[in-house]
Structure formats: structure tokens, C-alpha cells
């Protein structure tokens, strides 16, 4: 008797990607239901998982690329006639390795960041890069344009997915921080008396703040340049500038505070109102710095001969337009602005 031999044949997946390449085997043997089968997914088989007696549509996972050979036996259950076919498995491809870096470690809100692709591809004729910035926006391409985030957050998750021409995919994610800008108001402009001091009281917001004060003109005359509330003891009018730096090195716009130093009035005890152009009026230095000052001059007998508010025009030694005689006169000067009244005498010299 003559018995026909089976003619085993099979196909397998067009593409399978490592690290776990799942290959689907399909039995295409003619009269498939007439035979029994034995599969070997590696020849020779490495272990029991490398074989199967399932008829068709069998999945097998490979963990390396090559070389692999699959073998299919077809057997007649009644005549025991059998044949086999061996085919190399050529469609397993290594997956790409997704990797990237940022152009900077973090940014302040309003600054841009770039991503730098560092992925590697073992094979494939073309490659795709798909980026997710973690804020609902995405980009494509190996090194897309820079990105600006609209709100601060410490943990944006940026994801890169890379794909090669065989459909093999890998992805990776990294966290990125976008920090808020601190705010700084150096405080209200102030007035102090010469020899006095005041504590600077800026209004600031932000996290992990550091401070740096500078003054113009120098010297600063500060108890500290790096404290939030230093004590200022300027001897001249001065403008202090505050630089506030927050988390991530984010800096607030510079802000200034002006301190007016009211010096003690310098009061001459003589003047010569003789119209020679020299010391013709009683000029009181620095008194113009006190906007609410009051000056009164009296004779020895206590008669008021001069009074002025704000001392806009210095006294010329007259009363009601008439020159006063040579004599010593007594004054009370009330500078205001916290400085106590000053008393003394002034002599008119002819």
C-alpha cells in the first residue's frame, strides 16, 4: 500500500520586537486536520517551552534576536507517515532605546526648555520621535523646538516614545520642574534723622528665598547685605536695591527704596546784612530738608522780629522792611520731622 506524506508548512509574524519578541506561528499544512503536529521553536530546543503539539495559531516568545530556527513535524496518526519543514526566523528585531536629556535642569516660569535626544536604534530604515511635555501639549521630531510652560509645577512628566521602521517601540519619562518667580517690593521710601537708623521691611513672596541688598552711593551702612530685614544707618541720602532669588535660582525684578537723611541744621551765629553780597542773609544749611520747619527770632526783650514757615526765604535782618540795629537776637527753630526744637542766638554785624 502506498500512503501519502503530509506536506507541512507554516508562516510566522512579519515583525516581532525584543526584549520579548512575541511571534505568532500559523500552520498552513494542506489538509491540516488530517495530521498530528509537533513544533520546535528552536532547533535544537533549549527547554520544554520550545516545543508544542498545538495544531495552529501558536504564540512563542523569543528573548534574543538570532539565530533561531523553527521546525514543524506533521504525522499521520494511522500510517505514521511523517515529514517536517525547518525555517529560519528572520523577523525578530531589537527594540530602540529611548533616552533624552534637558537643555537645563529646571526653568523659571516664562523661560524655555529644549529636549536633547540621546536615543539609540539598533536597526530600521526610519525613526519616529513622539514627545509629550506633560502639560497637554506634544511635539514630534528628534529635537523639537523649545517649549515654554504656562504655569509652575515641580513635577512635569516629560515622555519620549521612539519607533523604528519595524514598529518596535520604546519609551521613557523624566520629571521636569518649572518654578514660580518670586516677587519683591523693597518697601516704602522713608526719612530718617542723621545719626538714626531704621529697619528695612520688604514685602516678598516665593520659596527658598535669599536676599542681597546694595546701596547707591556707597557705603551701604547696612547691618547685613543678605538678611531680609537689615538695619540701615546711612549718613547721606541713599537708594537701596533689593535682589531676591527663589527656588531654582529664579529672580524677582529688582526693586528700590529711597532713604532721605535729614541732617542737623547748621546755624550761623552771625551774618552781615550790609548788601555787600557776602553773608547778607541768615542762611541755615539743611533746614530746607524739613518741609514743616518754623523759625522765630526775638529781641533781648522778647519782641518777635521774624517768623517763617518752611524758611523759603532766608532772614535779611529786617522787620517790616526796616533794618534792625547791630545786636544779638535769640531764636527758636522747630525743624519738625522728629527733631527737637533748637534754641540759640544770632548776632547782626554791620
Amino acid at each position: 500500500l502506498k500512503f501519502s506524506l503530509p506536506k507541512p508548512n507554516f508562516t510566522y509574524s512579519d515583525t516581532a520586537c525584543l526584549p520579548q519578541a512575541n511571534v505568532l506561528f500559523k500552520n498552513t499544512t494542506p489538509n491540516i486536520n488530517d495530521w498530528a503536529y509537533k513544533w520546535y521553536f528552536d532547533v535544537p530546543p533549549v527547554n520544554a517551552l520550545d516545543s508544542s503539539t498545538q495544531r495552529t495559531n501558536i504564540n512563542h516568545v523569543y528573548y534574543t534576536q538570532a539565530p533561531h530556527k523553527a521546525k514543524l513535524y506533521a504525522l499521520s496518526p494511522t500510517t505514521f507517515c511523517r515529514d517536517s519543514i525547518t525555517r529560519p526566523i528572520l523577523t525578530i528585531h531589537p527594540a530602540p532605546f529611548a533616552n533624552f536629556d534637558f537643555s537645563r535642569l529646571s526653568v523659571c516660569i516664562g523661560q524655555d526648555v529644549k529636549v536633547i535626544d540621546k536615543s539609540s536604534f539598533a536597526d530600521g530604515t526610519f525613526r519616529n520621535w513622539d514627545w509629550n511635555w506633560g502639560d497637554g501639549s506634544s511635539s514630534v521630531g528628534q529635537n523639537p523646538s523649545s517649549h515654554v510652560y504656562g504655569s509652575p509645577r515641580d513635577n512635569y512628566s516629560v515622555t519620549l516614545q521612539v519607533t523604528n521602521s519595524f514598529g518596535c517601540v520604546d519609551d521613557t519619562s523624566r520629571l521636569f520642574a518649572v518654578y514660580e518667580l518670586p516677587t519683591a517690593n523693597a518697601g516704602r521710601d522713608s526719612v530718617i534723622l542723621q545719626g538714626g537708623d531704621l529697619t528695612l521691611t520688604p514685602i516678598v513672596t516665593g520659596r527658598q528665598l535669599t536676599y542681597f541688598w546694595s546701596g547707591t552711593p556707597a557705603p551701604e551702612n547696612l547691618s547685613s547685605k543678605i538678611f531680609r530685614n537689615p538695619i540701615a544707618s546711612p549718613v547721606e541720602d541713599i537708594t537701596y536695591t533689593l535682589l531676591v532669588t527663589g527656588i531654582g535660582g529664579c529672580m524677582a525684578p529688582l526693586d528700590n527704596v529711597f532713604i532721605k537723611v535729614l541732617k542737623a541744621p547748621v546755624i550761623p551765629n552771625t551774618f552781615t546784612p550790609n548788601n555787600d553780597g557776602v553773608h547778607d542773609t541768615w542762611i541755615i544749611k539743611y533746614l530746607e530738608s524739613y518741609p514743616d520747619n518754623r523759625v522765630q527770632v526775638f529781641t533781648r526783650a522778647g519782641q518777635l522780629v521774624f517768623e517763617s514757615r518752611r524758611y523759603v526765604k532766608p532772614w535779611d535782618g529786617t522787620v517790616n522792611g526796616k533794618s534792625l540795629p547791630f545786636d544779638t537776637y535769640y531764636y527758636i527753630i522747630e525743624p519738625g520731622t522728629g527733631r527737637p526744637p533748637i534754641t540759640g542766638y544770632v548776632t547782626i554785624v554791620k
Side-chain angles (χ1 to χ4, degrees):
L1 296 175
K2 293 183 179 180
F3 301 99
S4 61
L5 285 172
K7 296 181 180 179
N9 200 6
F10 65 90
T11 62
Y12 56 86
S13 305
D14 291 339
T15 297
C17 300
L18 295 173
Q20 296 184 18
N22 190 357
V23 177
L24 174 63
F25 290 87
K26 290 186 177 182
N27 191 339
T28 59
T29 304
N31 304 314
I32 187 172
N33 294 322
D34 295 342
W35 320 106
Y37 300 96
K38 181 75 171 182
W39 296 86
Y40 292 99
F41 303 112
D42 260 310
V43 179
V46 177
N47 53 52
L49 297 177
D50 286 338
S51 63
S52 175
T53 58
Q54 185 173 328
R55 187 177 299 278
T56 190
N57 293 341
I58 305 169
N59 285 292
H60 182 75
V61 178
Y62 292 92
Y63 297 94
T64 59
Q65 183 176 7
H68 297 287
K69 291 181 180 180
K71 189 170 187 177
L72 174 61
Y73 282 99
L75 170 70
S76 169
T78 56
T79 65
F80 300 104
C81 296
R82 69 177 188 174
D83 199 359
S84 66
I85 184 173
T86 301
R87 298 184 62 186
I89 306 303
L90 302 176
T91 58
I92 297 175
H93 300 281
F97 176 71
N99 190 23
F100 69 95
D101 206 348
F102 298 106
S103 59
R104 55 179 90 185
L105 297 178
S106 63
V107 296
C108 307
I109 190 69
Q111 294 178 329
D112 65 339
V113 61
K114 292 183 178 181
V115 283
I116 303 166
D117 175 58
K118 293 188 175 181
S119 304
S120 56
F121 293 81
D123 62 2
T125 56
F126 65 84
R127 301 155 186 180
N128 291 332
W129 294 263
D130 295 289
W131 301 86
N132 186 314
W133 293 98
D135 62 350
S137 59
S138 59
S139 298
V140 295
Q142 184 175 11
N143 293 302
S145 300
S146 58
H147 186 68
V148 178
Y149 286 90
S151 58
R153 189 192 302 173
D154 291 355
N155 56 351
Y156 282 104
S157 180
V158 181
T159 300
L160 168 63
Q161 177 178 285
V162 292
T163 309
N164 65 17
S165 56
F166 299 107
C168 299
V169 176
D170 190 34
D171 61 62
T172 186
S173 297
R174 294 189 61 183
L175 294 180
F176 189 72
V178 180
Y179 295 119
E180 69 274 17
L181 291 175
T183 65
N185 182 327
R188 297 178 61 182
D189 295 345
S190 300
V191 176
I192 65 170
L193 299 179
Q194 184 181 26
D197 57 45
L198 83 163
T199 300
L200 300 180
T201 55
I203 301 170
V204 296
T205 65
R207 293 185 290 160
Q208 300 180 18
L209 300 180
T210 61
Y211 308 89
F212 185 80
W213 293 91
S214 59
T216 304
E220 290 88 357
N221 293 295
L222 290 171
S223 61
S224 172
K225 292 184 178 182
I226 60 173
F227 288 172
R228 174 174 176 170
N229 301 110
I231 298 174
S233 307
V235 296
E236 303 284 349
D237 295 350
I238 192 168
T239 297
Y240 290 112
T241 300
L242 174 60
L243 171 62
V244 174
T245 304
I247 186 171
C250 300
M251 294 184 293
L254 296 175
D255 197 50
N256 300 323
V257 59
F258 176 72
I259 307 300
K260 176 71 176 178
V261 177
L262 295 180
K263 296 186 176 182
V266 177
I267 307 171
N269 57 13
T270 62
F271 70 105
T272 57
N274 55 10
N275 297 317
D276 65 355
V278 180
H279 304 305
D280 285 332
T281 58
W282 190 36
I283 297 176
I284 304 173
K285 192 175 182 180
Y286 304 131
L287 189 58
E288 73 279 0
S289 299
Y290 298 81
D292 298 321
N293 69 75
R294 180 186 183 191
V295 178
Q296 292 177 301
V297 181
F298 302 88
T299 65
R300 294 173 184 268
Q303 179 185 358
L304 179 66
V305 295
F306 177 78
E307 183 174 20
S308 174
R309 292 280 186 176
R310 300 186 178 181
Y311 204 62
V312 176
K313 183 178 180 181
W315 185 38
D316 60 1
T318 65
V319 59
N320 297 324
K322 295 182 180 180
S323 296
L324 290 170
F326 163 81
D327 203 348
T328 297
Y329 299 86
Y330 297 88
Y331 60 79
I332 301 174
I333 298 176
E334 301 173 74
T337 320
R339 188 174 290 280
I342 306 167
T343 61
Y345 66 89
V346 60
T347 300
I348 294 178
V349 179
K350 297 292 187 176

